[in-house]
Amino acid sequence: MSPLTAAFDDRARRTPEAPALIWRGTAVPYGELGALAGVFQERLRHLGGDRAAPVCVPARRTPETLALLVAALRDGRPVLLPSAELGADTLRELTAGAGIDRVLTAEPSYDGPGGLGVETVVPRADAPAVPEGTGLLLTTSGSTGTPKVVPLPLDAVGRFTAWAAEHFGLGPDTAVLNYAPLNFDLCLLEVWSTLAAGGRVVLVDPDRATDGAHLRELISAHDVHLVQGVPLLYRLLAEGADPAEPLKSVRHVVLTGDAVPPRLLARLPGLFPDASFANVYGCTETNDSLILDAGPLLPADPETAGPLPLGRPLPGVRALVLGEDGRPLEGPGTGELLVHTPFQAHGYLDPARGADRFVRRADADGPRVWFRSGDLVRRTADGTLHLVGRTDFQVKVRGLRISLEEVEQTLLAHPEVADAVVVTVPDEAAGKRLQALVRRVPGSALHVLALREHCARRLARTAIPSDIRVTDAALPKGPTGKNDRAAVGDVRRLKG
Amino acid sequence: MNRPAEIKRFLISEFLPDLSADQLDPDYDLLATGVIDSLQVVRVVNWVTTRYGVPLDQVEITPGDFRSVNAIDAFVTAFEETRSHHVHA
């Protein structure tokens, strides 16, 4: 019996006709999803071997896949849930490296329920054991190398779903939009907290995930209570929206993953007139850690507004800000953020890969495991944390410490800048040369001199990029929509 | 080509490859906006002094003289005026 599925099964027994999922316009009731999970459970048992052995299920967003996950979790099998987009070799390597011998896929039930694809993998002999009590094994979205595997303890997930249900008022009558891919930690809120609370998950069809009109229609038609997403989702929802038809059912809007550009933020209160807005900070390793009631900050003038603060620790979360000397800052100041959350993993599956990220250190109440976020934050006098950038993206140019992301934010604050990426390239004289690639808004004649004046008013001279190229083309992006700095190259080689 | 236009063409070809001549205001502050940094200003000084025959050992140079197209032009003009004084003296 798994705490992740106990509430789900309870719901399936008591109100089998209540919708658990909305998929391509059709409701999938709790009873039906639970029964399909039962079929999968039988098939899994017939595969033989240890009934509680971990399995790998690539994260396709389909009701069948969710039923398969429920089936595995019911039997206490930890589930490795990698992106469904992984290449076949990477998927096998990841699975074998986690000591798992089966990759399972739920097939759509055209001619009979519970079609199951099984691929056998030879697990690596030296693979670390999956820790006792693990529910899901998620992977980090690192852009280089094999992703790191993050085993999430069932009790940690349970604490999270309980917090989420209370904080966002999730219950049997609430619908939550699921936009994030199923392997993202965001689904602990969108999918697992919703199902644990007996609500319904409105699954976005991956084939229509970039169709703003469809997404608005989905939210209105299914009375969606909570929307969570990265800036891309809100851009899709805001662009082309009819001001006369706001999304009135939404009570909670959760902004996460990246800073929402101020001009987009300013449009959100009109789009969601009856919602409160939360800016949520977290990562796969720790889950949600910080939260900000963003509503009061949204109507600010987008021309002068900076990025939203990260906010303050969630209940039970502890935050440390380490200064340059490696000691925790007592009051205001800038440094790397370390967090300890009730929802976190104890480490990566392969402890060797996490020695520098999961660190033991004591605070006033004793020693505990902290996660080094790699994020550079500024704490103000009232305790609010602001994101400055990644510690990885902090560079030294002529002795001055510069955050690439801070320079990007400065460029983005120009009204005619639609997107910006800042990188460094090696430079013989200065060591590093700061460069910016900027996409201007459509129809703009913005040129580099106006941008430089804009920067000169806001940045130290050394932080003004040596080379700025203005383009009308899209900037290179990684899989989650963040800037792909490695793909930018030396902007001097680009045609103007 | 007159001197300001020539200075402008040099600055654009060296530091502002995307720009056309009419976009660069002759008073635009090239130093404060980082178009020319403290190392690159040496390149500008070299070009200006070579092109207009300003002997480096006979003039006092401050970075501010190279702040803009007009500042550079004024710097060269000032030098030419002192030189003509010397010739007539």
Side-chain angles (χ1 to χ4, degrees), chain A residues 402-449:
Chain A
I402 294 168
S403 161
L404 299 182
E405 288 151 316
E406 205 166 22
V407 180
E408 284 170 3
Q409 289 301 325
T410 303
L411 290 164
L412 284 168
H414 189 286
E416 287 179 59
V417 171
D419 203 358
V421 58
V422 175
V423 298
T424 58
V425 294
D427 184 76
E428 265 180 47
K432 283 197 185 77
R433 189 178 176 87
L434 209 56
Q435 301 194 318
L437 184 60
V438 171
R439 180 166 67 86
R440 59 189 170 193
V441 299
S444 159
L446 177 68
H447 61 72
V448 69
L449 295 179

Side-chain angles (χ1 to χ4, degrees), chain A residues 398 449 452 461 464 469 496, chain B residues 18-19 28 31 33 35 37:
Chain A
R398 291 181 194 147
L449 295 179
R452 286 189 171 282
R461 181 131 6 132
I464 303 175
R469 298 303 285 240
Chain B
D18 295 335
L19 233 56
Y28 187 86
L31 300 180
T33 56
V35 173
D37 66 27

Side-chain angles (χ1 to χ4, degrees), chain A residues 270-322:
Chain A
L271 187 60
F272 302 102
D274 296 322
S276 46
F277 295 84
N279 195 29
V280 169
Y281 167 92
C283 60
T284 308
E285 291 87 342
T286 63
N287 212 333
D288 293 351
S289 315
L290 309 174
I291 194 163
L292 170 87
D293 176 11
L297 300 176
L298 297 185
D301 176 7
E303 307 303 340
T304 56
L308 288 175
L310 299 178
R312 295 156 175 277
L314 261 57
V317 172
R318 292 157 186 261
L320 278 182
V321 181
L322 290 194

Side-chain angles (χ1 to χ4, degrees), chain A residues 453 461, chain B residues 25 27-35 67-68:
Chain A
E453 286 183 314
R461 181 131 6 132
Chain B
D25 186 288
D27 284 318
Y28 187 86
D29 190 331
L30 302 158
L31 300 180
T33 56
V35 173
R67 182 167 294 284
S68 64

Side-chain angles (χ1 to χ4, degrees), chain B residues 10-80:
Chain B
F10 163 76
L11 292 170
I12 287 175
S13 71
E14 284 290 310
F15 304 107
L16 293 162
D18 295 335
L19 233 56
S20 62
D22 57 337
Q23 285 176 308
L24 179 58
D25 186 288
D27 284 318
Y28 187 86
D29 190 331
L30 302 158
L31 300 180
T33 56
V35 173
I36 301 172
D37 66 27
S38 52
L39 296 165
Q40 290 163 328
V41 81
V42 176
R43 235 154 84 206
V44 181
V45 171
N46 282 339
W47 181 82
V48 170
T49 50
T50 308
R51 177 72 187 81
Y52 301 112
V54 183
L56 270 173
D57 52 353
Q58 286 180 27
V59 288
E60 217 171 287
I61 289 176
T62 63
D65 293 329
F66 300 87
R67 182 167 294 284
S68 64
V69 172
N70 279 346
I72 296 172
D73 186 50
F75 168 78
V76 178
T77 305
F79 165 72
E80 284 176 345

